[in-house]
Amino acid sequence: MNTSIHIVRLVLFFLLVDLAAQKNPDEFIVKITGYSGGVEIGAGIITGFNELDREVFLITALHVVEETDSLLVEFSQNRREFPATIFKVKPELDLAVLQVKIRNTDIEFRDLVVAETSDFRLSLVKIIGHPQGSSWITRLNKFLAPLDRNNFTVSNEMVTKGFSGGGVFTKNDRLMGMIVENRSQDALVVDILAIVSLLNEWKVETNLLTRPKLKLETAAIMGAGTAGVIYSLVGLEKKSKDQYSIYEDHRFSNDPIYTDLGMTREEVFQDAESKHKTAIIVGAVSGVVLAVGSYMLIRKLSKRKNEKRHDGLVVVPHFNMPDYALSSGNAVSFGVTIQF
C-alpha cells in the first residue's frame, strides 16, 4: 500500500512538471516598430536563431515594414529594442523575413512547435499581436476554413491594426500561421507550412520550428502508472493466495494463527476474496488502457509517413505521443488507487 501511494505521488509530480514545462507563446512573438514619415507597429514570429553570429530570423507581414526607413524589434524576454533589416520578401504572401543582430544579450530561444493535421479543425485559436501599439495582447478567435495551400481564415473579432505579422496558435500553443490581413468577413492567415517551405527554399534559419515530439513527462506518467498497476496486481494476487492458503490450511476457527492475525477465519476468507476481485479490476483497467494506447500508437505511426495536411502539403515525418497518453496515464494512476 505504501509503495502504491509513493507511485501515485510520483505520477502527480510528473503531472506538475508537465504543466510547468508549458511554453508561453508570447516569447515567440516580437513587437516591430517601423519609422518613416510616421510610425508603423506590427508583430513578428521568431523562426530561427544562428548561435554563432547571434542572429535572429523572424517573419512578419510585408506591409508592416515595406514603407519604413528603419526598423526596431522588441523581444518579450527583456523588452529591449534591436535594429532589424529586411532579409527576404514574398509580396504574393505579404511576407517579409527580418534579420536581427542580438549581440551582448542573454536572450534564450526555445523551440516553437508547429501545428499538425488534427489541429486544423473548427475550434478556438489564439492570436497574439500588438493592437493599436499595445504589448503582447492575446485574443481567442474561431478557426474558420482553409482557402488554398497557402492560406486559411479566422474570425475577425477584435483583430485590429497591430495584429499584422502576429501568430495564430492552437489552444495548446502550436503555431498555425501568421496574420496578414483583416477583411470585412474574416481575417486572412498565411499557413506556417507554406512559410516554412519558402524559408527552406531561401535557406533561412528555421531551427526553432519543430514538429510535435514525444513528451518525456507524459511517457514517465504512463510508465509510472503502468508499473504501479503491475506491482499492485502481482502484490494483491500474492496476498490473496497467501490468505487463501491460511484459510485452507487452518480449518479451525480457534487456531492461534487467527489470533495472531487479529482476524476470524471468515474474515481471512473475505479479505482474500476482496483482494482477488480488486486485482482483477486493476488488471482489467491496465489491460484496456495499454490495449487502447498500443492500438492508437501503432495507428498514428503507420500514418506518419504519408500524412498530409488539409492543404495537400506533405508533413515531415515525426514521432508524436498523442494526447491520449496523458489520459491513459491518469487512468492507470486511478487503477493503482482503486483498491484502497
Side-chain angles (χ1 to χ4, degrees):
M1 178 173 175
N2 289 335
T3 302
S4 296
I5 290 174
H6 289 316
I7 291 171
V8 172
R9 287 174 178 169
L10 182 63
V11 169
L12 291 175
F13 168 76
F14 279 115
L15 275 170
L16 293 174
V17 170
D18 192 49
L19 290 173
Q22 294 295 317
K23 298 178 177 66
N24 179 3
D26 285 6
E27 70 182 69
F28 303 110
I29 304 299
V30 300
K31 185 176 183 179
I32 299 173
T33 306
Y35 298 93
S36 54
V39 177
E40 181 77 27
I41 293 178
I45 305 169
I46 300 170
T47 59
F49 177 52
N50 185 324
E51 176 68 42
L52 181 63
D53 298 323
R54 300 293 291 174
E55 292 178 332
V56 180
F57 293 92
L58 56 96
I59 55 175
T60 187
L62 177 58
H63 71 263
V64 171
V65 299
E66 62 182 340
E67 300 296 334
T68 58
D69 297 324
S70 63
L71 295 169
L72 291 177
V73 169
E74 182 181 347
F75 296 90
S76 68
Q77 293 95 318
N78 64 6
R79 302 302 173 94
R80 282 181 57 190
E81 289 186 320
F82 297 86
T85 57
I86 298 176
F87 187 72
K88 290 282 186 180
V89 298
K90 184 73 170 180
E92 297 88 339
L93 295 182
D94 193 13
L95 170 69
V97 179
L98 302 187
Q99 184 180 29
V100 186
K101 303 279 189 180
I102 60 162
R103 296 187 179 92
N104 302 318
T105 180
D106 58 355
I107 296 177
E108 294 183 4
F109 298 98
R110 295 191 293 174
D111 291 345
L112 176 54
V113 180
V114 174
E116 60 178 349
T117 309
S118 58
D119 295 313
F120 282 73
R121 54 182 179 267
L122 300 181
S123 62
L124 289 178
V125 296
K126 296 178 183 177
I127 61 171
I128 302 176
H130 305 284
Q132 310 303 323
S134 57
S135 297
W136 285 273
I137 300 298
T138 300
R139 308 275 194 224
L140 285 178
N141 287 48
K142 292 180 180 178
F143 174 77
L144 296 181
L147 297 180
D148 52 41
R149 68 189 307 271
N150 294 324
N151 305 101
F152 62 91
T153 57
V154 297
S155 58
N156 61 0
E157 292 99 333
M158 303 181 76
V159 178
T160 58
K161 185 178 176 65
F163 270 111
S164 293
V168 177
F169 293 84
T170 64
K171 288 181 289 186
N172 58 344
D173 299 330
R174 294 176 180 176
L175 179 62
M176 300 173 72
M178 180 185 73
I179 295 178
V180 291
E181 184 182 356
N182 186 20
R183 309 190 300 187
S184 60
Q185 301 297 322
D186 53 32
L188 186 65
V189 183
V190 182
D191 191 307
I192 187 59
L193 278 195
I195 295 174
V196 170
S197 177
L198 192 58
L199 294 179
N200 289 338
E201 181 183 322
W202 287 339
K203 301 189 184 321
V204 176
E205 298 279 1
T206 57
N207 55 339
L208 298 181
L209 301 180
T210 64
R211 303 301 298 170
K213 297 182 177 68
L214 170 66
K215 288 186 177 181
L216 293 180
E217 297 91 347
T218 302
I221 291 169
M222 290 190 70
T226 303
V229 169
I230 293 172
Y231 176 85
S232 299
L233 183 62
V234 173
L236 283 170
E237 273 298 318
K238 184 178 184 305
K239 289 177 181 178
S240 174
K241 288 179 180 179
D242 289 345
Q243 286 183 303
Y244 272 127
S245 296
I246 293 172
Y247 178 80
E248 289 293 330
D249 295 342
H250 303 273
R251 295 181 176 275
F252 299 101
S253 58
N254 61 351
D255 194 299
I257 194 169
Y258 297 117
T259 304
D260 294 339
L261 292 173
M263 303 169 68
T264 66
R265 185 168 184 265
E266 184 62 27
E267 286 173 341
V268 169
F269 174 81
Q270 290 175 352
D271 193 46
E273 189 164 83
S274 175
K275 283 183 170 60
H276 175 64
K277 289 179 179 178
T278 302
I280 291 175
I281 294 172
V282 173
V285 171
S286 175
V288 169
V289 169
L290 294 179
V292 172
S294 299
Y295 167 76
M296 294 186 69
L297 185 60
I298 292 170
R299 189 166 174 266
K300 284 274 185 180
L301 290 175
S302 66
K303 291 170 62 178
R304 285 300 171 203
K305 277 191 176 180
N306 300 314
E307 184 180 23
K308 297 188 177 208
R309 276 267 292 276
H310 64 79
D311 51 16
L313 290 176
V314 177
V315 177
V316 177
H318 62 283
F319 182 81
N320 175 47
M321 179 62 76
D323 292 337
Y324 77 84
L326 186 57
S327 299
S328 300
N330 293 337
V332 171
S333 64
F334 171 74
V336 176
T337 60
I338 60 174
Q339 71 266 32
F340 302 125

